[in-house]
Amino acid sequence: MTAPARIEPSAALPAEDESGLAAPPEEPPGEPPNERADEPTAAPGRWRRLQRTAADGVFALLLLALVLTAGWLAARHDRTFDWSASARNSLTPASIALLERLPDADTAPLRITVFAPREHRVGRAVEQLLARYRRHRPDLDIHWVDPQATPERAREADVRLLGQVVIEHQGRRETLEVLSEGTLSSAIARLTLARAPWVAVLEGHGERALGGGAGPDIGRFAQLLRQRGFRLRPLDLASAPRVPDNTDLLVVTAPAIALFPGEADALVDYLAAGGNLLWLLDPGADDSDLRGLEPLAAYLGIRTLPGLVVDARAAEHGFETPTFTVVDDWPAHALGRDLTRHAVLPGSLALEAGPAPGWRLATRLTSGEQSWNETGPIRGEVTRNPDLGEASGPLALALALSRPRPGADAATADAADADADADERAITAEPPDEQRVIVVGDGDFASNAHLGTGENRALALRMARWLTGLEDLIAPPPGPDDRDNFVLSAARTWLIGVGGVFALPLLLAGLGLWITWRRGSA
């Protein structure tokens, strides 16, 4: 009997499992299982995350390199841009020209010492101003001294206020109590003048001694002038028949004995030739006795009132006698500009300016309204008596006169004065085109005993500078133009404040969180 044929399962047909379904075909050994083409793999996702991390790291490194490079460039190449409409953060062209003409620091250094702590608000304000100068002259020698930590240096420099600046150059020295671009540049210009002014002081008749150390002498005033570059010399008209032609300023104090007529004529000839004069009067036994200087007073049209000026405000300032006249109403002139305290004249004559050919009154310093010229003895309680010619204040204690210099074109002189051509004089150090005279009713204010009282020292120095044309070598820059100020309303101010403090930081934080979430879900 024939056996039934067996049917072997074909390799091409899938085998069935226990459920009766066909099983997937077996893969040949040694080969990986085939994956379906439509199923994503994990390797590309990991690669994208690695790329993102690497990109973030490279960006951080580039940002750090950019910050370090910018800091290095800023440290080596300082560049400042002043975008203000009035250029309030920049120096004027005159100051820049002055700095460019300064000698090298190695040959003639300019030393600036600030007597204030650098971190103090006063020190920061001074540093902000000095930074403008350092942009053009990085070699400026600037030092900071704390006057409380080193009081001996402050006493040596005669520093009385926090923030005073002492400038030194080639043995000359300037001390500034009011600091601005105009005062600082003018001080630098005065110290760097190629030609120092000559000052002659009249002697030989019992005047205040130029080099004396007694209280009535003017030795301290002379020392201040020398420190600021003035060259002083005594003048005795008994041995010299005339005032030297190169004299920039003649100082005449009250003589003890009368001058000879020829000596007074020499003084008048000096004025007629265009010389500048500082005349310090003093009351004597006879008010009308000028001890041989009457021709000088007549030439200038100056007349003295009888008696001595008394001031009822003297007691308010701590003076026991009313003859200490207080001056605090400063004129808008180079003699009084920026002065904040009072000056004291310890016994002054009152002056009047009469008619004089060609002379004009530039300014005057006056006493207060509670003053008058007392003609009687000053003891006990004194009151004004109009019947004796005692005039009530304000009274003129000092008169400043000027006129076109003889031999110069008057129109040119007036035009130069009107245009305030001080910038060019700062560079060329040329004298002004006008003749200047100051007459003071009291010479004690510049004496050794009273020079340090109030603003006396500053006033005496300003007189010498104005008379020699060095009062404003650098014209002060114009004030900021506030006509186009941007003024915000209260609502806009509140909106900007709240937006800058709260809204903008929250917006940036939210934007950062959203970017992080998007990256994590990618």
Side-chain angles (χ1 to χ4, degrees), residues 364-434:
R364 63 176 188 168
L365 304 180
T366 61
S367 60
E369 296 181 354
Q370 303 180 32
S371 62
W372 68 90
N373 57 311
E374 177 61 41
T375 58
I378 302 175
R379 57 176 178 266
E381 183 177 354
V382 293
T383 56
R384 187 174 73 90
N385 189 350
D387 297 334
L388 299 178
E390 297 176 355
S392 61
L395 300 175
L397 305 177
L399 300 175
L401 309 176
S402 65
R403 70 176 181 180
R405 190 173 300 278
D409 187 5
T412 303
D414 293 339
D417 181 64
D419 294 339
D421 191 13
D423 298 346
E424 289 298 326
R425 288 195 287 111
I427 300 173
T428 60
E430 295 179 356
D433 292 330
E434 66 176 5

Side-chain angles (χ1 to χ4, degrees), residues 8 31 61 94 102 129 138 180 203 210 212 247 251 262 264 268 285 291 341-343 346 412-413 438 447 453 458:
E8 297 291 336
E31 295 181 6
L61 291 176
L102 285 179
L129 175 62
S180 63
E203 290 186 354
L210 178 63
T247 301
V251 179
V268 174
R291 300 177 181 86
R341 297 182 298 166
H342 61 273
T412 303
I438 292 180
S447 64
T453 304

Side-chain angles (χ1 to χ4, degrees), residues 452-466:
T453 304
E455 297 282 14
N456 285 15
R457 181 175 62 173
L459 179 60
L461 289 174
R462 289 188 178 202
M463 288 181 177
R465 291 170 181 167
W466 183 76

Side-chain angles (χ1 to χ4, degrees), residues 188-478:
I188 296 175
R190 286 192 293 267
L191 292 177
T192 55
L193 284 177
R195 177 187 175 275
W198 274 106
V199 179
V201 182
L202 185 64
E203 290 186 354
H205 313 87
E207 294 91 349
R208 300 178 186 270
L210 178 63
D217 296 331
I218 56 174
R220 291 183 58 191
F221 179 46
Q223 181 181 4
L224 291 176
L225 292 179
R226 291 191 181 98
Q227 290 177 351
R228 282 146 183 82
F230 291 84
R231 293 182 289 182
L232 282 73
R233 58 187 173 190
L235 174 64
D236 188 357
L237 292 178
S239 57
R242 55 180 295 181
V243 181
D245 296 335
N246 63 342
T247 301
D248 297 286
L249 174 61
L250 175 62
V251 179
V252 177
T253 60
I257 58 176
L259 274 70
F260 294 109
E263 295 174 329
D265 294 338
L267 299 180
V268 174
D269 294 339
Y270 168 76
L271 286 180
N276 303 315
L277 173 67
L278 175 60
W279 187 7
L280 304 179
L281 293 170
D282 277 314
D286 187 358
D287 302 325
S288 60
D289 183 15
L290 298 180
R291 300 177 181 86
L293 295 174
E294 288 81 4
L296 193 61
Y299 186 83
L300 297 173
I302 299 297
R303 188 177 70 88
T304 61
L305 298 182
L308 195 65
V309 177
V310 295
D311 191 351
R313 297 186 303 160
E316 300 177 3
H317 295 274
F319 301 111
E320 298 180 356
T321 171
T323 57
F324 282 69
T325 309
V326 177
V327 179
D328 54 8
D329 186 12
W330 300 109
H333 186 267
L335 294 182
R337 189 179 299 122
D338 298 328
L339 293 183
T340 57
R341 297 182 298 166
H342 61 273
V344 178
L345 277 68
S348 177
L349 296 169
L351 307 175
E352 283 187 350
W359 294 102
R360 67 177 182 90
L361 181 63
T363 190
R364 63 176 188 168
L365 304 180
T366 61
S367 60
E369 296 181 354
Q370 303 180 32
S371 62
W372 68 90
N373 57 311
E374 177 61 41
T375 58
I378 302 175
R379 57 176 178 266
E381 183 177 354
V382 293
T383 56
R384 187 174 73 90
N385 189 350
D387 297 334
L388 299 178
E390 297 176 355
S392 61
L395 300 175
L397 305 177
L399 300 175
L401 309 176
S402 65
R403 70 176 181 180
R405 190 173 300 278
D409 187 5
T412 303
D414 293 339
D417 181 64
D419 294 339
D421 191 13
D423 298 346
E424 289 298 326
R425 288 195 287 111
I427 300 173
T428 60
E430 295 179 356
D433 292 330
E434 66 176 5
Q435 182 183 7
R436 297 174 175 178
V437 172
I438 292 180
V439 183
V440 187
D442 173 42
D444 284 326
F445 87 99
S447 64
N448 297 338
H450 301 284
L451 187 64
T453 304
E455 297 282 14
N456 285 15
R457 181 175 62 173
L459 179 60
L461 289 174
R462 289 188 178 202
M463 288 181 177
R465 291 170 181 167
W466 183 76
L467 289 169
T468 53
L470 305 180
E471 78 286 1
D472 282 324
L473 291 178
I474 298 296

